[in-house]
Amino acid sequence: MPNLTLQLFGIPALSHPDGAPAPTTGAVKNLALLAFLTLEPGPHTREEIATLLWGDSTDEQARTSLRQALTRLKSVVGEGLTVTRQTLQLTQPPRCDVLEFLAAADQNPAAAAGFDVPRFFSGLNIRHAPGFEEWISTTRHRLLTIYSRILTRLAREAMERWQWRAAVEWAERLIGVNSSSEESYQILVEALFLVGERSLALERIQEYETGSVRESGAATSAAFRDLKRKIEAGATTNQPISEEWLARGPQLDCALVGREQEWRTLMDAWRAIRRGRSKVLLLEGEAGVGKSRLADDFTRYGSAHGAVVLRGRGYDAATGTPYGPVVEALRCGLTAPGLAGTDPEWLTEATRLLPELRRIFPALPEPLPGIDPAGRWRLYEGVAQLVMALAAESPVIVLLDDLQWCDSETCALLHFLARRWASAPVALVATLTLGELERDAPAARLCRALRVQNQAVTMTLAALSEEQVWTMVYEMGHIQGAEAGRRFAHRVYDVTRGNPFYVMELLKTMFAQGLLAAESATGKWTAGPEVLESSQPLGMPRTVQDAISERVARLPGQLRDLLATTVLAGSACETDLLSHVHGISRLHVAALCEELVWRRYLVENQGVYRVSHQLIGDVVHQELTASRRREIHRSIGLALQTIAPGEPHREFAGRIARHAEQGGERRMACRYALIASAAALGRYAPDEAMTWLDLAAANAEDQEQTDQVNRLTVEVLEFGGWPEAPTAPRLRTSTQASSLAQADLDFG
Ligand SMILES: Nc1ncnc2c1ncn2[C@@H]1O[C@H](COP(=O)(O)OP(=O)(O)O)[C@@H](O)[C@H]1O
Ligand SMILES: [Mg+2]
């Protein structure tokens, strides 16, 4: 048989694989015969076929027509058709969409669902052949049964994965095939409801009820009526968060304990800033010791006394964009009164990092095109000038939390800024855990450089004493019976060694385990003898990881899944992102996340969530299997692509690339890493650009992608390698910046 393709979904047609029409088979019945022989393999008697296609003719006419049809078919399909005196058989059937559909049905349901099965043999009229018409109708019925089974399976799977939007689509298609299927309506209606389309869900219920009653006269099933009642009542069908779970444990809040010495130092610094001086404050210590807490209390004090606070955070595993922590901090200054005092030239430069500035100052010109080292200087100076303009109005506190994770570009910029601000009322506060850093990590180098600056103060936080842990417990637990309370504090200290994060996690876990309880009227804590008496074996988790893990395990499944996605999303996780990944409405996401924020798993800022403490993130991460992580990354990558504004998704490209890589989507990873690299170069961040290129190179799938990577690598190397000494920066206008000392340029 020559290489031919028989299409039977839609108007039947025979063609070459490239789509060009095959030599015509003549009368439509010849094509019908070919279809029948293709789908019904094995030998058929001449009588059977004659009756099938020419049943309305005399025997003689039918035999003649069959003979002619066979001659014609033979000329088209050649050796593939074996004809004897009694029988005929298609030994080599053509490629046929129906056969492909049947093969995919079990192996690859999603692919099978892509065939247009409802249009089997449509648009071709075979007259005077009642036998054939009957065959078409039975075959169509058989195919549709398989097709419905596949759609049902896909719809159910989507429901199980909480992809309710997808479930709606599958169910709609199912209803298109079989409008009397109660199961399809049940899935559709439930999914619509879960997406937040309650009134649409009710409409479809009504549609099914009238349709089905009209057709069969039968009433709907009890399950269907039950679903209807729930939706009418507006009650969620998905109530994973039990009352019991909600009731367990109070929200733990504790005033700052200890830290008197550090606080005095901070207040000295504050007074210096008020007098117009600058300060660099480094808060060091192990994870959980209370660095962020102390810095937060300081910034709160500052803003209560008129300071502008700009806060940004470093992230693990380079999930952010270049200068991400600084960008995050600068965003906080968008509403500050001094902003408009910035020279437009510098504002223009700052738009490279902060495009939002254009919304506030629409008349700003585009920054100069081109990428050269002098451009990097202009960008850095733009940021410095912007903050100095804010500081001209009121003192500024710039807080960089978790500096240890800042990438090299961010560190270079911070180093520059610390020196540029040396005579402005700006406090640069950074928290960091140096223990996690290699000596040559950019943040470690930056710290060494900052420490030697005149205005720098380093504070190393130690764990709390047993007495201080007792103060925490006493205060939060409204404890009166001091003796038992102290015994309890002793046990807590014994396990936690005074790390306040660990203390908090341990207490929360003990509430979740039921080892501790709070009286509802007074808020007073009570505990059983197994907690209070040291002769009893300790019921509490022995490590902070165990404590977190125990509590995460007790989270209702849906919340745990959202938490996992937020953790893997890294630096920031938008409501929209969670809504897409889990197929639930934004409203529903917000409600669930509120629960996680209340339980202190997440923190929220303007609809963006992230995990409240890296240690929690670490535990959640470890407890996911590798394949689960991969799937989540993949979903995040795909969802980001959907929610990212404007092709080519520049702002999101880096995030998409990383998630695609970790989700096993190599081509996509390479494509977006290239975009991210170009964007990084546009921000004068060659190191970052190179990191993206490394990722792109590792994932390139074909020569074209490899060539692109190579081309861009040359460009970045030329920029980063500074093959020629940079000439003095070219300024468009003479501004106060032209008086800058040359030393400010040497920030490398
Ligand atoms: N001195 C303190 N007094 C009371 N609570 C504290 C103190 N230090 C830290 N905490 C609490 O311990 C937890 C962890 O502190 P955090 O500042 O996040 O640690 P770090 O930033 O060092 O990892 C937070 O819930 C915080 O409120
Ligand atoms: Mg911290």
Side-chain angles (χ1 to χ4, degrees):
M1 143 111 27
N3 201 358
L4 292 174
T5 299
L6 178 62
Q7 169 194 308
L8 293 178
F9 292 135
I11 301 171
L14 190 64
S15 57
H16 289 292
D18 62 4
T24 167
T25 51
V28 285
K29 282 195 180 173
N30 299 357
L31 190 60
L33 173 58
L34 181 62
F36 179 82
L37 294 176
T38 304
L39 298 191
E40 306 288 347
H44 298 275
T45 61
R46 283 176 177 258
E47 283 72 20
E48 179 194 348
I49 301 294
T51 319
L52 182 81
L53 283 163
W54 294 275
D56 279 2
S57 314
T58 63
D59 287 0
E60 185 53 36
Q61 278 170 336
R63 270 199 298 276
T64 313
S65 300
L66 175 59
R67 217 168 22 247
Q68 285 165 353
L70 287 173
T71 315
R72 190 59 188 260
L73 264 190
K74 196 101 183 135
S75 75
V76 175
V77 304
E79 290 308 303
L81 182 64
T82 311
V83 181
T84 67
R85 286 177 64 86
Q86 270 82 38
T87 64
L88 46 140
Q89 177 177 7
L90 199 58
T91 44
Q92 295 166 31
R95 276 187 60 180
C96 173
D97 49 4
V98 174
L99 298 180
E100 281 167 8
F101 163 74
L102 291 171
D106 289 326
Q107 309 299 325
N108 186 354
F115 288 92
D116 195 359
V117 180
R119 291 189 61 228
F120 172 70
F121 226 96
S122 67
L124 198 65
N125 211 356
I126 310 287
R127 287 183 305 170
H128 310 302
F132 188 76
E133 270 171 33
E134 201 184 314
W135 176 76
I136 289 287
S137 140
T138 352
T139 310
R140 181 180 292 126
H141 182 75
R142 183 167 67 93
L143 290 171
L144 282 178
T145 309
I146 299 172
Y147 187 61
S148 304
R149 211 170 56 219
I150 292 169
L151 293 178
T152 311
R153 176 171 160 192
L154 290 168
R156 281 209 209 106
E157 282 174 1
M159 288 298 275
E160 277 161 22
R161 288 198 305 268
W162 305 356
Q163 293 172 341
W164 293 321
R165 284 200 185 87
V168 168
E169 277 169 33
W170 292 126
E172 288 285 18
R173 282 176 60 180
L174 200 47
I175 289 166
V177 177
N178 176 4
S179 65
S180 62
S181 149
E182 188 179 281
E183 179 172 16
S184 343
Y185 270 96
Q186 213 162 338
I187 295 177
L188 174 72
V189 162
E190 186 168 358
L192 278 173
F193 178 58
L194 290 169
V195 164
E197 300 277 11
R198 180 167 168 271
S199 53
L200 213 54
L202 288 170
E203 269 173 38
R204 303 305 295 268
I205 290 179
Q206 169 131 44
E207 169 189 307
Y208 175 68
E209 282 176 343
T210 36
S212 81
V213 170
R214 201 181 50 236
E215 273 174 25
S216 66
T220 51
S221 73
F224 195 86
R225 288 197 302 275
D226 191 39
L227 180 64
K228 178 183 171 186
R229 251 195 313 279
K230 278 187 191 149
I231 294 179
E232 278 173 344
T236 169
T237 49
N238 202 317
Q239 283 179 317
I241 307 164
S242 65
E243 293 299 316
E244 188 199 13
W245 183 82
L246 277 176
R248 273 206 185 139
Q251 196 186 25
L252 301 181
D253 271 314
C254 182
L256 188 71
V257 171
R259 310 294 183 221
E260 290 83 8
Q261 172 74 41
E262 289 84 357
W263 192 253
R264 271 197 296 277
T265 312
L266 290 170
M267 287 302 105
D268 286 347
W270 172 248
R271 280 188 289 275
I273 301 158
R274 287 291 287 270
R275 288 198 301 274
R277 307 247 302 278
S278 82
K279 275 283 166 203
V280 172
L281 299 162
L282 297 173
L283 299 180
E284 299 183 9
E286 63 174 26
V289 79
K291 305 175 294 295
S292 306
R293 170 63 195 260
L294 187 58
D296 280 345
D297 281 27
F298 176 61
T299 53
R300 211 170 313 118
Y301 178 91
S303 56
H305 289 80
V308 170
V309 176
L310 311 180
R311 146 201 288 281
R313 199 163 99 153
Y315 293 101
D316 199 4
T319 51
T321 44
Y323 310 120
V326 177
V327 172
E328 197 183 316
L330 291 176
R331 266 195 199 123
C332 308
L334 288 175
T335 50
L339 185 68
T342 322
D343 187 296
E345 178 177 353
W346 297 125
L347 272 181
T348 304
E349 288 303 327
T351 55
R352 293 184 199 272
L353 291 192
L354 218 54
E356 298 96 313
L357 282 169
R358 274 188 200 292
R359 252 182 281 135
I360 306 173
F361 306 106
L364 284 181
E366 284 294 324
L368 284 183
I371 38 172
D372 56 54
R376 171 146 78 163
W377 176 82
R378 283 197 305 272
L379 170 68
Y380 283 18
E381 183 61 21
V383 175
Q385 292 281 346
L386 189 155
V387 175
M388 289 194 291
L390 303 186
E393 292 288 321
S394 46
V396 176
I397 302 178
V398 181
L399 168 57
L400 265 301
D401 205 4
D402 288 329
L403 186 70
Q404 71 273 14
W405 288 318
C406 287
D407 55 280
S408 65
E409 316 278 10
T410 305
C411 289
L413 173 56
L414 286 173
H415 187 210
F416 176 87
L417 294 175
R419 290 192 292 160
R420 264 321 258 121
W421 294 335
S423 51
V426 179
L428 177 61
V429 185
T431 73
L432 70 153
T433 301
L434 274 176
E436 303 186 3
L437 284 188
E438 304 288 335
R439 283 185 59 78
D440 61 352
R445 285 195 185 133
L446 172 64
C447 274
R448 291 198 292 274
L450 290 179
R451 272 197 211 116
V452 298
Q453 277 188 269
N454 284 341
Q455 70 275 34
V457 182
T458 305
M459 282 171 268
T460 306
L461 299 192
L464 301 178
S465 65
E466 182 174 335
E467 191 61 24
Q468 288 169 331
V469 171
W470 159 234
T471 310
M472 281 178 84
V473 170
Y474 175 81
E475 202 193 286
M476 288 188 287
H478 309 278
I479 287 174
Q480 272 122 40
E483 199 188 319
R486 272 187 182 277
R487 255 203 317 275
F488 174 61
H490 173 74
R491 300 212 85 180
V492 171
Y493 178 78
D494 204 32
V495 176
T496 62
R497 292 284 130 201
N499 178 307
F501 175 76
Y502 191 177
V503 171
M504 301 299 261
E505 291 305 301
L506 182 67
L507 293 174
K508 284 188 249 173
T509 305
M510 290 172 74
F511 275 106
Q513 288 173 314
L515 290 173
L516 278 178
E519 280 176 7
S520 56
T522 58
K524 199 180 124 202
W525 293 0
T526 53
E530 72 276 23
V531 172
L532 295 177
E533 284 162 25
S534 45
S535 56
Q536 302 265 340
L538 206 61
M540 38 187 171
R542 296 296 315 189
T543 66
V544 67
Q545 281 78 12
D546 290 348
I548 297 170
S549 157
E550 165 91 40
R551 213 150 39 84
V552 168
R554 281 165 195 266
L555 276 178
Q558 208 172 19
L559 293 180
R560 208 164 46 217
D561 289 348
L562 282 179
L563 180 60
T565 306
T566 314
V567 166
L568 294 193
S571 52
C573 190
E574 297 83 352
T575 312
D576 246 0
L577 178 63
L578 288 168
S579 160
H580 272 83
V581 170
H582 293 281
I584 48 184
S585 71
R586 291 167 49 103
L587 220 61
H588 199 163
V589 167
L592 294 173
C593 285
E594 205 173 289
E595 213 48 65
L596 288 168
V597 170
W598 161 257
R599 299 280 134 180
R600 301 277 167 86
Y601 289 96
L602 300 183
V603 289
E604 189 254 2
N605 182 19
Q606 298 179 0
V608 174
Y609 297 93
R610 57 185 173 219
V611 65
S612 64
H613 200 280
Q614 184 64 30
L615 287 173
I616 294 182
D618 290 346
V619 170
V620 172
H621 194 269
Q622 276 158 22
E623 298 201 339
L624 293 168
T625 60
S627 59
R628 181 89 197 289
R629 270 182 230 154
R630 215 173 106 104
E631 279 315 306
I632 299 177
H633 278 302
R634 188 168 168 273
S635 309
I636 295 177
L638 294 173
L640 281 173
Q641 233 181 343
T642 319
I643 67 169
E647 286 277 0
H649 310 151
R650 253 166 191 282
E651 294 297 312
F652 282 58
R655 288 170 71 190
I656 300 177
R658 282 210 190 277
H659 290 296
E661 183 189 37
Q662 296 182 71
E665 296 282 340
R666 291 167 51 89
R667 171 170 291 280
M668 181 175 159
C670 178
R671 186 167 136 238
Y672 279 96
L674 283 165
I675 299 172
S677 178
L681 205 53
R683 289 174 160 192
Y684 310 112
D687 290 359
E688 184 75 28
M690 205 44 106
T691 315
W692 292 123
L693 285 177
D694 292 342
L695 193 153
N699 288 282
E701 284 276 83
D702 55 31
Q703 197 53 43
E704 195 193 332
Q705 286 196 323
T706 310
D707 290 346
Q708 275 177 299
V709 174
N710 294 348
R711 270 198 304 277
L712 205 49
T713 305
V714 171
E715 219 175 294
V716 174
L717 281 176
E718 276 171 9
F719 176 92
W722 293 19
E724 292 163 58
T727 47
R730 204 165 24 86
L731 291 174
R732 274 168 291 165
T733 53
S734 82
T735 64
Q736 68 263 49
S738 49
S739 62
L740 284 168
Q742 185 62 31
D744 289 317
L745 288 176
D746 126 47
F747 49 79

